Amino acid sequence: VVIAFLNSLSGIAAMSAGFIVNSIILIVAGALVGASGIILTLLMCAAMNRTLLDVLKGGFGTITINNEYEKDPISTSPEDVAIQLSYAESVVIVPGYGMAVAQAQAAVKELTNTLKDKNIEVKFAIHPVAGRMPGHMNVLLAEVDIDYEDMFILEDINSEFSSTDVVIVLGANDVVNPLARTDEDSPIYGMPILDVDLAQQVIVIKRSMSPGYAGIANPLFINDNANMLFADAKEGLENIIKSFELV
């Protein structure tokens, strides 16, 4: 958000310089950069349900929250995940920053091909603020030739989670945290999220139970319909793919 805002200011500065040097090209280019930057800034703020002022003040992680979980999560193994996926008819993959850090997009493509070869429907749910910049997840998936038709934005995919057999969450955290819907005291309350907790089964591939950017626990991780595969995203996916040979 801050980067987009600074880009907008750079456009305004360029436009001002255009008036000073009497350059129409500089004025037009600066105006386009400034306008697009502020539009993008406001869109991302809306996706986080926060004002620009709150973002600039550092609204997340500034309060002390009890991040203790009421119970231990249900751990799973790559073999068990492969079995669950083999019996599924529909799978939705939610990419997050953990996928980017692990550079796991190639493994995602391989898993997608494996599932489609078994006539399993595969879709991707893209949250507007997943990753570190707008379109981050789309770019990574496009790098490995994931079909654009298989990528869905939040508004288009949320209604399908309740009828989805398995959701795979790859290193995402705050964008799938149900506290945004249920806890009015949560700093992310009201933030639009992907309703993955409504699916029949959720597989979370994550290295630990550590909180995301907002600094709060995610009750999804201890839901009865959620299993945690503690692993690097790339390693976890590769082990799942290998396990299909045993299924």
Side-chain angles (χ1 to χ4, degrees):
V1 173
V2 175
I3 290 173
F5 181 61
L6 292 175
N7 282 338
S8 175
L9 294 181
S10 71
I12 295 174
M15 181 179 65
S16 301
F19 281 110
I20 294 174
V21 301
N22 195 28
S23 170
I24 295 179
I25 294 178
L26 195 56
I27 293 173
V28 173
L32 290 174
V33 172
S36 60
I38 198 63
I39 291 172
L40 181 57
T41 299
L42 295 176
L43 285 174
M44 287 191 293
C45 286
M48 297 171 63
N49 193 39
R50 307 190 72 75
T51 66
L52 178 59
L53 182 60
D54 285 338
V55 174
L56 294 177
K57 289 191 303 182
F60 283 149
T62 58
I63 58 178
T64 302
I65 300 174
N66 181 12
N67 278 328
E68 296 294 326
Y69 287 95
E70 298 176 355
K71 59 181 181 179
D72 292 331
I74 304 172
S75 298
T76 188
S77 65
E79 293 78 13
D80 289 338
V81 174
I83 292 173
Q84 286 179 287
L85 293 174
S86 294
Y87 286 99
E89 294 183 359
S90 59
V91 174
V92 173
I93 298 176
V94 179
Y97 186 60
M99 183 191 77
V101 171
Q103 298 182 350
Q105 55 266 37
V108 171
K109 174 64 173 179
E110 188 175 352
L111 177 63
T112 301
N113 291 342
T114 300
L115 295 175
K116 287 188 174 183
D117 287 343
K118 295 178 178 291
N119 295 319
I120 299 172
E121 181 184 51
V122 181
K123 295 182 179 180
F124 291 84
I126 311 294
H127 193 281
V129 295
R132 285 295 181 266
M133 58 183 171
H136 192 180
M137 300 298 104
N138 302 73
V139 170
L140 294 179
L141 295 176
E143 283 181 0
V144 291
D145 296 325
I146 295 292
D147 291 338
Y148 185 75
E149 291 76 13
D150 292 338
M151 303 183 202
F152 295 84
I153 61 175
L154 181 148
E155 292 82 3
D156 293 338
I157 196 70
N158 258 355
S159 61
E160 298 188 25
F161 282 119
S162 59
S163 58
T164 299
D165 294 324
V166 180
V167 172
I168 301 176
V169 179
L170 290 175
N173 201 323
D174 297 326
V175 299
V176 295
N177 193 330
L179 289 180
R181 295 196 319 262
T182 61
D183 186 358
E184 295 185 5
D185 295 326
S186 171
I188 64 171
Y189 179 73
M191 169 182 165
I193 63 164
L194 293 164
D195 298 327
V196 302
D197 56 308
L198 303 181
Q200 300 299 312
Q201 194 68 38
V202 181
I203 306 297
V204 181
I205 302 179
K206 200 171 181 291
R207 288 179 293 182
S208 69
M209 296 285 284
S210 60
Y213 175 68
I216 58 176
N218 189 341
L220 169 69
F221 299 161
I222 59 172
N223 271 11
D224 292 337
N225 67 334
N227 291 342
M228 300 290 297
L229 177 59
F230 292 108
D232 172 270
K234 182 178 180 180
E235 176 188 1
L237 290 172
E238 289 176 345
N239 288 335
I240 292 172
I241 295 167
K242 292 177 183 177
S243 298
F244 272 105
E245 301 174 1
L246 306 176
V247 175

